Amino acid sequence: MGNHMGRRELREQIFLLLFRIEFNTPQDMPEQMQLFFEDDEVKRTPEEAAYIEAKYSKIMEKLSDIDAQLEKKAENWNLKRMGKVDLTVLRLALYEMQYDEDVPVSVAINEAVELAKKFGQDGSGAFVNAVLAKFA
């Protein structure tokens, strides 16, 4: 990646894109993705945009598998009852822990907790940490 966005910022971008699936139908997501990448507030290089889109697509391919695992491990937590931020953070982290060789498990968990604290509710960081600990 250029000297432009660090890994943390790139992860945040992927999180924000992935978050949109909670509010849009699959049919609407191509348009949502276009809007996301047209946002002038965020300066991304073409390489960064390609990286974000590629990782988003890979996560979407594994989403039903990831959700099934979350349903199993997060006892008493129906995914539909889970906060949308928490769920999105967990999906991203679980993808990284299981399918992304570039990201060590400890890093995936730490970054997930940071995202949850930044975008979630008061207890989000602790909740995300507790769920991911079951997979570590």
Side-chain angles (χ1 to χ4, degrees), residues 37-50:
F37 286 116
E38 282 169 2
D39 178 3
D40 291 334
E41 297 293 300
V42 183
K43 296 286 172 252
R44 308 178 194 87
T45 65
E47 296 78 33
E48 286 163 351

Side-chain angles (χ1 to χ4, degrees), residues 3-119:
N3 55 3
H4 191 80
M5 282 190 172
R7 279 184 175 266
R8 176 165 286 183
E9 290 155 296
L10 284 166
R11 185 180 280 101
E12 200 168 288
Q13 291 285 301
I14 294 158
F15 162 79
L16 291 169
L17 183 55
L18 198 57
F19 191 56
R20 293 191 179 205
I21 70 172
E22 288 300 304
F23 302 93
N24 296 280
T25 64
Q27 292 83 347
D28 289 337
M29 276 312 292
E31 186 190 2
Q32 284 297 315
M33 205 186 285
Q34 198 176 345
L35 292 168
F36 181 82
F37 286 116
E38 282 169 2
D39 178 3
D40 291 334
E41 297 293 300
V42 183
K43 296 286 172 252
R44 308 178 194 87
T45 65
E47 296 78 33
E48 286 163 351
Y51 173 83
I52 292 161
E53 187 169 346
K55 190 155 169 181
Y56 162 84
S57 300
K58 285 180 193 159
I59 295 168
M60 290 306 292
E61 277 168 29
K62 303 282 188 200
L63 199 65
S64 56
D65 182 44
I66 289 170
D67 282 357
Q69 293 185 57
L70 280 171
E71 285 276 11
K72 264 205 204 94
K73 294 259 189 190
E75 300 110 354
N76 313 327
W77 274 96
N78 182 310
L79 296 192
K80 292 184 177 51
R81 279 181 47 219
M82 211 179 269
K84 291 184 187 330
V85 167
D86 298 358
L87 177 57
T88 302
V89 169
L90 287 169
R91 284 168 165 167
L92 174 53
L94 212 52
Y95 172 81
E96 290 189 332
M97 288 165 75
Q98 298 188 338
Y99 303 105
D100 194 335
E101 269 91 70
D102 295 338
V103 184
V105 166
S106 59
V107 171
I109 293 175
N110 289 338
E111 291 293 324
V113 171
E114 291 304 313
L115 274 173
K117 284 180 182 166
K118 180 168 180 179
F119 293 101

